[in-house]
Amino acid sequence: MSHDNMTIHLRVWRQSGPNAKGNFEQYTLDTVNPHMSFLEMLDVLNERLTKEGQVPVEFDHDCREGICGSCGVVINGTAHGPQQRTASCQLHMRHYKDGDAITIEPWRAKAFPIVRDLVVDRTAFDRIQEAGGYVSVKTGSAPDAHAVPIGKEVADEAFDYAACIGCGACVAACPNASASLFTAAKISQLALLPQGQPERKRRVVAMVDQMKVEGFGDCSNHGECEAVCPKGISIAGIAKMRREYFKAILTGK
Amino acid sequence: MSKFDARIPAGPISEKWTRFKQNMKLVNPANKRKHTIIVVGTGLAGAAAAASLAELGYNVKAFCIQDSARRAHSIAAQGGINAAKNYAGDGDSIYRLFYDTVKGGDYRAREANVYRLAETSVDIIDQCVAQGVPFAREYGGLLDNRSFGGAQLSRTFYARGQTGQQLLLGAYGALNKTINAGQVQMYARHEILDVVVIDGKARGIICRNLVTGEYERHSGSAVLLCTGGYGNVFYLSTNAKNSNVTAAWKAYKKGALFGNPCFTQIHPTCIPVSGDYQSKLTLMSESLRNDGRVWVPKKKEDCQKHPNQISEEDRDYFLERRYPSFGNLVPRDVASRNAKYVCDEGRGVGETGLAVYLDFADSIKRLGKHTIEERYGNLFEMYERITGENPYEVPMRIYPAVHYTMGGLWVDYSLMTTVPGLFALGEANFSDHGANRLGASALMQGLADGYFVAPYTVTDYIASNPLETINESHPAFDEAEKESSERIQKLLNIKGKKTVLEYHRELGKIMWDQVGMSRNKVGLEQAIKDIQALREDFWKNVYVPGEANTMNKSLEFANRVADFLELGELMARDALYREESCGGHFREEYQTEDGEALRNDEDYAYVSMWEYKGDHVEPDLHKESLVFENVKLTQRSYK
C-alpha cells in the first residue's frame, strides 16, 4: 500500500444561490492521500479554503457509508464518478493518479434546482413518494407477520427494488432528466408484494402523475440511470412501471 | 431517593403496560386536531411517532436536518431487529428478550421499560411486514431469523445488511401517507436551536431554516425529541456527520435531566482508522461475527506478516480462547475491550497496529463462498471499496469505534423528560439499554417508542394536563429566538484562527483517550480540565466562514461542536462519579482478576441524572435507584 500523496487539480462548480450565476473555480490539492474518500478530499479542500478566509464548497453528505443518499456529485461527467455501484462518499482516491484533473458538478435537472454550489433541492422526490409510495396501514392494525407467506424469490426481488437510496443520480445521468428509475423502484417493490396489491393501481397512477408535475422528463430507454445507480436498481423496473401504469389507466383505478 | 419519579405503573411486570393503557386518559377525537405535536427528527423513532400521532388525529409538525426525512441515520443500521416472535422455535419469549436485554445492559436499565420494549417487539415486525418491508425470507415464504451478538437465540429479523434502511423507508412511507393526507407538515433542512418552555411545560421550539438561515418559531402541546445519539462528541464515530447533541443539550439546559451520559457503546467491528484525514468510521455489521473468527498473531513479530502466511498454531483466536461458550459472539463491550487488550499488548495488526483480524476462511471452506456471499455480500463489497482489499481472500481488519450512546435524556415510564410535555424517544433517551446495548436492539427501541409507546403516553399527557392557549408571539419565544440568533452571530463574529474541524478533532482525541474504552480517575479529571480549556479557547479563537443568512454548513457544525464541548465535560464527570465498571463503562480501577468489568450494585445500581445549574457551575447529581424484582443480578459471564 502506498501512502505517497498525490496532486489533484480540481474544477468545482460554485454558485452562491439558486438564482445566482455559477462558474467553475480551479483548485489544486497537493496532499491527497490515496486512501482518502472522495468527500474527505473535499474536506481537505474546504479546510484549506477556510484557513485562507474563503467560503468553503457546500456539498450534501451525511452517513458517508453509501446508504443515506445525501451525497452525490457529477465527477468528470459521470454521476457519482467512475466506480460502478458506488456513491460519491464511497469512492476512494486510490482510483485516481498523481496529476489527475477532476471536474465536480452538481446534479443538473430542472426538477432539482441548485441550492448552493454542489447542493441541489431534491424535494421533488419526496413529493413523488408522498403521492403514493407506501402501503396505507395504520399503526397497530397489522395482522401477524406470518399471516401471508411470501416466496423467497419474490421477497428478494422486492428487496432489490427497495434498495434505492433516493440519491438522484438516475436523474442527473438521464439525458431527459427523468425520474423513472427512482419512481419505478418503489412501484415495483410494492407491486411485487402481496401487501402492495390493494393500492396497486392507485399508487402507480398517482406517482407517475406526480413525476410529470415535478418537471422530470420522460424515459426514452437510454439506460444511463441503471449504469450510474449506486444500488444497481434494474431498468426492468421502468418497463414494469409502464405496464402497471397502462393497466391501471385502461382498467380504471 | 430522587425527587423525580419514573411513574412506573404498579402491578406485576407483565401487566404494567396493559394497565397503563387501560388507565390512561383519552383525548376526544374532535379535540385531537386542536393539538399540535412537534416531532424533531425523522429516524425510526421520529418518523414512526409522527405518522402514528397523525393517524390518531393530532396535527403534527415534523422536522429534520437532512434534505429528506428518509435520510436520518437510522438508515445506516445494518444487522437487524430483535423481536420475541419465537418463529425459530428455539424457546424465545418476551421474558427471555427482556432478561437478555437487562443482563446485556449489565443491570443498569429500568426493568419496566425494558419489559415493555420486549412486549411491543412482536407488534413491530407485524407492522413492518404490513408496510411492505422486504425482510429476508426462507424458501417456504416465512421470515428468516438469525442470531446476533450476545444472544443464544435466533430472534433477529433482517433485510440483507440494510435492515435500518428498509425499516426507515417503511416508517418514511407511513410518514408520507400522513403528509399526503395533510395531517403532518414536514420541515426538512431545519435544525432545532432551542426548546421553548412556558409555565414549566414544553410548548414549542426555535429552529433555523438551513437553506435561508431564517429563524422560525413553532408552538405546540408537546415536543418529542427523536434526535438520536451523541457519539460524534468523539469526532470519529460511526454516526452520520450531521448527528449531534444540540436538541438534547438545549433540553438539558431548559431543565430536562441528562441520564447516564457516560454510557457509550464502542462497537467491536469497524474498519480501522487509516489516516489523519479520516472523517468518520464505518461499521461492519456485527452479524459478521456469526461466521467470522477474530484473531491476532500469538507473537508480536508476526504482526506485520501477511495474515495468510501465519500458520494456524501461531494465531490467537482470543475471544474463542477466553469465552469458550460465546466465543466470537460475546456482547459488544466485551469484544471491544478484548481487541483493545491485544493491541495494547503490541499484537495488533495493520499499518497502525490498531486492528485485529476477522477471518472468514474457515466459513468459506465449510459453507462455500456462495453462502457467505449471500449472507454478507454487500458488507464485503463495502469493505473492499473502502480498504481496497478482498475479504474473501484476505481476513478483514477491524477495530472498535464509537457507535451508540446508551445515555441520553432521562425519561420516565411515559418517555417524558423532567420537563412536562417534552418527550425523548429512541437513542435520544437513556432508558432501555443500561450500560451496554445488545445488537439489533436499537431499531427495536426506536420503532417501539415511536409506533407503540409515544402515541399512548403523549395522549395521556395531553388529556391529563390543562394547556393554556399560547401562540408564537409569547415572550418566551422572543427570548429563546434572541438567544439562539445571538449565539449564531457570536460564532460568526469571533473570526479567530482555528477551524471548527480542528476543535472537533481535539475534543475527539481527549474523549477517545480519556473517556473512551477504558477510563480512570486521573484521566477523567484531566479530561474535564482539558475540555474546559478547549471550550474557552473555542469561544475566543474559532473561525467560522460564511454568513448567517445562507446555507452554511460550517456554521451548522460550529454550533454543534460548541454543544459537544459542553457535553464532553458532563460525560467525563459522569464517568468519574461512577466508581464501578459496568457494560461499556470500564473503569480501570474496578475490574475482576481476569480483566472483566466489576460492578458495584450496592452503591451504583442507579441511573445518574444530571441537572443543569448554570454555565460555570457544576451540575447536580440526582439518582434513580434501579429496583430489580424480576431479574437476579449476577456477574455477567460469557465464559
Side-chain angles (χ1 to χ4, degrees):
Chain A
M1 255 183 283
S2 150
H3 269 246
D4 291 344
N5 283 342
M6 306 182 288
T7 296
I8 299 285
H9 305 287
L10 298 174
R11 259 175 95 229
V12 184
W13 185 260
R14 304 298 310 258
Q15 183 173 333
S16 62
N19 302 314
K21 197 174 167 305
N23 64 288
F24 282 107
E25 291 284 342
Q26 314 234 13
Y27 309 100
T28 294
L29 294 177
D30 50 18
T31 56
V32 176
N33 182 301
H35 294 308
M36 276 178 187
S37 71
F38 194 84
L39 300 189
E40 282 167 348
M41 188 248 326
L42 288 180
D43 291 342
V44 170
L45 169 65
N46 277 347
E47 198 62 1
R48 194 187 87 190
L49 292 176
T50 305
K51 289 257 173 200
E52 290 170 355
Q54 299 185 59
V55 179
V57 178
E58 295 292 356
F59 62 96
D60 267 327
H61 62 98
D62 201 16
C63 79
R64 297 199 176 195
E65 294 182 17
I67 195 74
C68 74
S70 296
C71 70
V73 286
V74 175
I75 302 168
N76 285 342
T78 304
H80 288 309
Q83 197 178 13
Q84 282 211 318
R85 298 194 62 168
T86 303
S88 303
C89 63
Q90 296 274 280
L91 177 64
H92 281 68
M93 295 310 292
R94 67 177 74 90
H95 299 285
Y96 294 91
K97 57 181 194 305
D98 193 36
D100 274 356
I102 304 177
T103 298
I104 309 172
E105 296 169 82
W107 292 165
R108 295 195 193 270
K110 192 176 108 197
F112 286 167
I114 291 178
V115 176
R116 191 179 171 97
D117 296 335
L118 304 173
V119 176
V120 299
D121 178 351
R122 288 171 290 195
T123 49
F125 267 13
D126 290 307
R127 290 187 292 273
I128 292 173
Q129 295 295 337
E130 286 160 18
Y134 40 78
V135 175
S136 298
V137 50
K138 277 195 178 179
T139 300
S141 60
D144 185 84
H146 271 176
V148 184
I150 303 171
K152 184 178 186 307
E153 296 82 356
V154 175
D156 285 351
E157 196 185 345
F159 180 96
D160 289 339
Y161 287 115
C164 168
I165 59 174
C167 62
C170 47
V171 174
C174 177
N176 309 336
S178 169
S180 288
L181 192 65
F182 167 80
T183 309
K186 182 53 80 180
I187 287 168
S188 301
Q189 175 203 341
L190 295 177
L192 281 160
L193 295 171
Q195 289 82 6
Q197 299 313 309
E199 297 166 286
R200 187 170 176 171
K201 292 179 183 174
R202 177 191 301 274
R203 174 181 308 114
V204 67
V205 173
M207 291 180 78
V208 169
D209 288 351
Q210 187 64 35
M211 185 169 79
K212 291 177 192 157
V213 169
E214 297 294 345
F216 292 104
D218 283 332
C219 169
S220 46
N221 296 321
H222 285 80
E224 298 289 341
C225 52
E226 186 185 63
V228 298
C229 176
K231 294 292 149 184
I233 306 291
S234 166
I235 200 169
I238 297 180
K240 194 176 189 64
M241 175 172 76
R242 284 181 170 149
R243 282 197 305 274
E244 294 283 322
Y245 185 76
F246 289 116
K247 223 165 31 182
I249 293 287
L250 293 172
T251 61
K253 287 184 216 176
Chain B
M1 261 315 277
S2 159
K3 62 179 172 178
F4 303 99
D5 183 3
R7 299 194 301 146
I8 300 166
I13 196 154
S14 59
E15 289 170 28
K16 288 180 191 294
W17 182 229
T18 309
R19 285 192 190 190
F20 179 94
K21 288 189 283 187
Q22 278 167 358
N23 297 329
M24 65 181 267
K25 297 218 170 74
L26 299 172
V27 179
N28 178 316
N31 283 338
K32 281 188 184 142
R33 63 175 171 270
K34 295 179 191 158
H35 291 283
T36 296
I37 316 279
I38 291 170
V39 180
V40 186
T42 58
L44 291 180
S52 304
L53 287 160
E55 284 169 4
L56 289 174
Y58 294 105
N59 180 27
V60 175
K61 289 185 173 183
F63 298 82
C64 72
I65 49 179
Q66 296 84 358
D67 71 321
S68 165
R70 67 181 292 154
R71 308 201 199 283
H73 192 52
S74 304
I75 202 142
Q78 299 169 355
I81 177 166
N82 288 327
K85 281 283 200 187
N86 194 31
Y87 282 164
D90 52 3
D92 202 6
S93 64
I94 288 168
Y95 180 81
R96 265 195 201 276
L97 175 53
F98 154 74
Y99 175 88
D100 286 353
T101 307
V102 172
K103 179 190 174 197
D106 220 357
Y107 309 97
R108 292 294 174 265
R110 188 191 289 150
E111 273 194 346
N113 286 52
V114 178
Y115 196 90
R116 176 179 61 194
L117 174 68
E119 237 178 320
T120 50
S121 69
V122 295
D123 300 328
I124 295 171
I125 302 304
D126 298 343
Q127 181 68 27
C128 296
V129 166
Q131 289 170 343
V133 169
F135 283 116
R137 290 187 180 257
E138 297 167 349
Y139 284 101
L142 301 181
L143 294 160
D144 190 23
N145 292 132
R146 61 183 175 197
S147 69
F148 218 67
Q152 287 179 312
L153 296 159
S154 284
R155 62 159 70 103
T156 304
F157 295 77
Y158 66 102
R160 278 185 219 160
Q162 291 158 241
T163 316
Q165 180 202 24
Q166 293 309 316
L167 296 176
L168 183 62
L169 293 180
Y172 167 72
L175 181 63
N176 282 335
K177 181 193 69 175
T178 49
I179 293 172
N180 196 36
Q183 298 158 315
V184 175
Q185 276 175 279
M186 183 68 223
Y187 298 83
R189 292 204 201 266
H190 275 65
E191 180 154 29
I192 179 172
L193 295 183
D194 208 353
V195 176
V196 178
V197 178
I198 298 172
D199 295 332
K201 297 191 180 93
R203 296 306 304 272
I205 60 168
I206 301 294
C207 58
R208 184 167 172 270
N209 178 325
L210 298 179
V211 176
T212 63
E214 284 164 305
Y215 300 96
E216 292 178 12
R217 305 167 176 206
H218 297 274
S219 65
S221 300
V223 176
L224 278 56
L225 300 183
C226 312
T227 47
Y230 47 84
N232 273 345
V233 67
F234 289 86
Y235 182 61
L236 287 181
S237 83
T238 65
N239 286 189
K241 291 301 287 178
N242 293 294
S243 299
N244 67 81
V245 77
T246 293
W249 198 248
K250 295 304 174 195
Y252 166 70
K253 289 191 155 184
K254 283 287 169 82
L257 270 57
F258 212 107
N260 294 335
C262 81
F263 287 170
T264 309
Q265 175 157 86
I266 316 259
H267 195 291
T269 54
C270 300
I271 298 179
V273 174
S274 69
D276 54 10
Y277 47 80
Q278 192 98 24
S279 62
K280 76 153 297 192
L281 295 170
T282 301
L283 175 84
M284 288 280 103
S285 167
E286 149 169 68
S287 61
L288 292 169
R289 286 199 278 144
N290 284 339
D291 289 304
R293 299 178 70 193
V294 178
W295 63 276
V296 289
K298 281 183 182 161
K299 295 177 283 199
K300 284 182 198 176
E301 55 271 27
D302 284 350
C303 288
Q304 291 306 320
K305 274 193 194 163
H306 191 284
N308 294 352
Q309 288 168 348
I310 300 171
S311 65
E312 196 59 30
E313 63 271 18
D314 287 330
R315 299 175 175 196
D316 177 14
Y317 295 91
F318 55 93
L319 291 177
E320 296 170 26
R321 172 171 58 81
R322 292 195 64 186
Y323 306 97
S325 74
F326 276 69
N328 294 298
L329 293 176
V330 290
R332 293 176 175 179
D333 54 339
V334 178
S336 291
R337 211 147 44 232
N338 279 279
K340 180 182 187 309
Y341 289 153
V342 294
C343 292
D344 288 351
E345 285 167 22
R347 295 193 289 142
V349 298
E351 283 179 44
T352 59
L354 290 175
V356 300
Y357 289 122
L358 179 62
D359 197 335
F360 292 87
D362 284 352
S363 297
I364 291 172
K365 221 178 287 169
R366 194 177 70 246
L367 304 162
K369 190 181 162 192
H370 178 71
T371 304
I372 295 299
E373 194 174 347
E374 217 175 47
R375 286 184 191 168
Y376 313 109
N378 65 323
L379 297 170
F380 277 38
E381 266 176 45
M382 190 199 278
Y383 182 85
E384 184 166 3
R385 236 175 260 138
I386 293 174
T387 63
E389 289 179 358
N390 177 356
Y392 293 102
E393 283 158 18
V394 186
M396 284 185 179
R397 277 176 291 111
I398 55 164
Y399 198 65
V402 172
H403 180 54
Y404 187 90
T405 47
M406 283 75 69
L409 290 172
W410 184 87
V411 289
D412 64 12
Y413 188 73
S414 291
L415 305 182
M416 191 161 81
T417 69
T418 50
V419 176
L422 182 64
F423 293 76
L425 278 60
E427 191 179 350
N429 74 32
F430 88 100
S431 85
D432 293 357
H433 307 295
N436 172 57
R437 180 174 65 73
L438 291 181
S441 285
L443 301 183
M444 173 171 68
Q445 190 216 343
L447 289 180
D449 288 0
Y451 284 132
F452 297 111
V453 181
Y456 295 99
T457 61
V458 170
T459 294
D460 183 55
Y461 166 77
I462 288 176
S464 316
N465 287 276
L467 291 165
E468 276 176 47
T469 310
I470 53 134
N471 63 35
E472 283 135 16
S473 52
H474 190 283
F477 277 95
D478 294 338
E479 198 184 322
E481 185 184 317
K482 184 164 171 277
E483 260 180 47
S484 300
S485 59
E486 281 175 357
R487 172 164 141 140
I488 292 289
Q489 211 47 56
K490 189 173 169 191
L491 285 166
L492 286 165
N493 290 347
I494 297 167
K495 298 217 179 294
K497 291 265 180 281
K498 267 169 77 174
T499 65
V500 175
L501 190 62
E502 287 170 324
Y503 281 105
H504 200 173
R505 280 202 180 116
E506 275 182 52
L507 173 65
K509 184 164 167 38
I510 298 170
M511 294 301 292
W512 181 247
D513 289 347
Q514 313 291 6
V515 199
M517 258 192 289
S518 74
R519 305 154 170 187
N520 63 59
K521 184 168 187 285
V522 176
L524 290 166
E525 284 169 345
Q526 189 60 45
I528 292 173
K529 285 188 202 143
D530 291 349
I531 295 167
Q532 286 171 342
L534 188 64
R535 187 168 66 226
E536 202 176 312
D537 188 59
F538 174 90
W539 282 105
K540 284 187 190 139
N541 199 28
V542 72
Y543 175 70
V544 183
E547 294 157 16
N549 59 351
T550 61
M551 172 171 275
N552 185 346
K553 287 182 199 273
S554 304
L555 179 58
E556 293 168 28
F557 277 98
N559 192 44
R560 295 169 194 157
V561 169
D563 290 330
F564 282 136
L565 282 163
E566 295 181 8
L567 166 77
E569 182 183 336
L570 186 70
M571 291 171 71
R573 203 174 289 285
D574 188 45
L576 183 63
Y577 269 76
R578 191 170 281 278
E579 294 184 330
E580 64 162 349
S581 294
C582 55
H585 169 64
F586 192 77
R587 279 285 298 265
E588 288 159 13
E589 303 95 318
Y590 310 99
Q591 51 180 307
T592 63
E593 272 178 17
D594 46 2
E596 302 296 338
L598 185 61
R599 282 199 332 267
N600 174 353
D601 294 329
E602 194 127 318
D603 300 316
Y604 292 96
Y606 65 72
V607 178
S608 58
M609 306 161 66
W610 294 93
E611 184 181 13
Y612 175 74
K613 287 298 197 185
D615 279 342
H616 304 287
V617 187
E618 279 194 27
D620 274 354
L621 174 63
H622 303 271
K623 297 170 186 176
E624 177 195 346
S625 299
L626 292 167
V627 183
F628 294 93
E629 291 170 336
N630 301 278
V631 169
K632 194 169 158 276
L633 276 70
T634 55
Q635 180 67 40
R636 226 164 36 126
S637 170
Y638 295 93
K639 304 223 175 239

